[in-house]
Amino acid sequence: MMSERVEGAGDASMSTLPEGLLFGLGNPLLDITANVDVEFLKKYHMNPNDAILGGEYQTTLTQDMLAKYQDIEYSAGGSCLNSFRIAQWHLKKPNIVTNTGCIGQDDFGKILQEKAKEAGVNVQLQIDPKEKTGSCAVLVTGSNKLRSLCAFLNAANCFKIDHIRKPELKALIEKAHYFYSTGYFLVVSLPSLLEVADHALQNNKMFCFNLSAGYVLEFYKNSVEELLPYVDLIFGNDQEFTAFAAAFGIESNDMKEVARQVQAMSKKNSQRKRIVIITRGADSVVVCDEKGEIQEFPAKRIPDSEIAETNGAGDGFVGGFLSQFIQGYPLDRCVACGHYTASEVIKQHGVKVPKEPHFVYENKSL
């Protein structure tokens, strides 16, 4: 069995970090961004600042967008892959993180893999020969750059557990010490998550999970309940934990109390207690640590004039947090890096970061 994570052990150079330290399962989507006019939105039954799943009114949206507009930008997206790109931005040494999911055998899939590899992520994706690669049309309108998102999951919905049972994937899972996935992926392949989570349990490794969206708790409560005993660290925002409280009968809207009760829920690995991380937008992050103690970490206020958009702040926070957590740094430093990274993401249009990170940890306890 792997030895238990020792918080505070993060003193080694990042150049000595082993490849494949963090392994993630998510829904890879190719983000396709263009500046469009409002009439284009109306044609596809969308509004400025929308975020929808593509349906019957949007079947030709992407094709039309690519034909009509020239300033197209591509990036490797999906919540898990966004966080992993950003974690790699901090870690600098490539291939510290590995990401799997399902894409199609098409040009979008090739572009997505290229963009992820450029960011330093080791993508080991299942290829579905029949389905198109999942994508998200990012439609930017007006001088204030409002972004309307239309996601098409396509192949991302087709991930099969057989993929993680391939020898090359099993080797990467054996190599990893930390695992991460999202509530979005739980909807796609709960059996895959349970198999990886059980590997983490049997080897005393850490399994991290993000609630991702309120609908996951509303419609897939039984799946969350099945996975939760394996979860060593759980992320979510206050709206998602409010939905969690409603689904699991926690009679409190106080996020500190909700965090305490989630931390105390049944857990299979008795060698460590669960950690609960609740983000609250511009308000302080609530953390319930392994001792069951509550801490709050205020976020630095960003002037409205510097905020491009808040979409992606959560993915940025997780990426920053995990980049420190897998190095063994204490929770206050992990949260500080999460705050820093989220603040950089919201200054950009899209889930992006500047060329170089300039995170400086100020240890307030000294």
Side-chain angles (χ1 to χ4, degrees), residues 269-314:
N269 187 346
S270 60
Q271 298 185 60
R272 63 164 66 91
K273 300 294 185 180
R274 183 177 294 118
I275 299 169
V276 180
I277 312 285
I278 304 179
T279 59
R280 301 189 295 171
D283 295 328
S284 59
V285 168
V286 173
V287 174
C288 188
D289 64 20
E290 291 175 287
K291 297 178 182 177
E293 296 176 356
I294 295 291
Q295 300 178 67
E296 286 192 78
F297 298 94
K300 182 180 178 181
R301 292 277 173 172
I302 306 299
D304 289 347
S305 60
E306 294 183 24
I307 297 175
E309 61 170 301
T310 57
N311 179 49

Side-chain angles (χ1 to χ4, degrees), residues 82-304:
N82 281 336
S83 294
F84 276 25
R85 283 192 295 106
I86 289 169
Q88 276 290 166
W89 175 66
H90 281 289
L91 295 167
K92 298 182 180 179
K93 178 183 174 181
N95 300 326
I96 303 299
V97 304
T98 304
N99 185 244
T100 194
C102 188
I103 60 173
Q105 195 169 9
D106 53 19
D107 288 341
F108 278 6
K110 291 175 183 176
I111 296 170
L112 186 149
Q113 291 187 87
E114 288 170 4
K115 294 295 182 181
K117 289 174 182 176
E118 285 174 11
V121 179
N122 179 11
V123 280
Q124 296 290 326
L125 304 175
Q126 182 180 4
I127 310 294
D128 189 301
K130 296 179 181 179
E131 284 287 342
K132 298 177 182 178
T133 295
S135 62
C136 182
V138 183
L139 311 172
V140 183
T141 54
S143 58
N144 53 359
K145 301 293 184 183
L146 290 177
R147 294 158 62 84
S148 301
L149 309 178
C150 183
F152 302 89
L153 296 180
N154 296 336
N157 263 332
C158 300
F159 189 89
K160 301 293 187 295
I161 196 170
D162 291 350
H163 185 63
I164 60 169
R165 291 173 176 171
K166 292 180 177 179
E168 58 270 32
L169 270 293
K170 288 181 71 174
L172 288 166
I173 290 168
E174 289 286 344
K175 190 175 186 179
H177 292 186
Y178 296 84
F179 299 91
Y180 173 75
S181 191
T182 63
Y184 301 125
F185 190 81
L186 173 144
V187 175
V188 170
S189 185
L190 176 62
S192 298
L193 288 188
L194 290 171
E195 187 155 313
V196 171
D198 188 64
H199 166 83
L201 170 65
Q202 299 304 325
N203 294 277
N204 197 27
K205 300 177 179 182
M206 292 206 71
F207 186 84
C208 310
F209 180 68
N210 196 324
L211 294 176
S212 298
Y215 78 81
V216 174
L217 286 309
E218 184 177 356
F219 298 110
Y220 299 93
K221 185 250 187 177
N222 290 344
S223 296
V224 175
E225 191 169 31
E226 194 171 351
L227 183 65
L228 188 63
Y230 294 93
V231 175
D232 298 299
L233 187 152
I234 186 167
F235 295 98
N237 62 33
D238 47 358
Q239 293 175 326
E240 291 152 8
F241 272 100
T242 296
F244 185 104
F248 284 87
I250 297 175
E251 296 180 355
S252 177
N253 291 321
D254 179 353
M255 286 299 111
K256 295 177 186 177
E257 180 58 28
V258 171
R260 283 193 191 95
Q261 293 200 37
V262 175
Q263 193 267 354
M265 291 175 76
S266 175
K267 190 169 179 298
K268 288 181 178 289
N269 187 346
S270 60
Q271 298 185 60
R272 63 164 66 91
K273 300 294 185 180
R274 183 177 294 118
I275 299 169
V276 180
I277 312 285
I278 304 179
T279 59
R280 301 189 295 171
D283 295 328
S284 59
V285 168
V286 173
V287 174
C288 188
D289 64 20
E290 291 175 287
K291 297 178 182 177
E293 296 176 356
I294 295 291
Q295 300 178 67
E296 286 192 78
F297 298 94
K300 182 180 178 181
R301 292 277 173 172
I302 306 299
D304 289 347

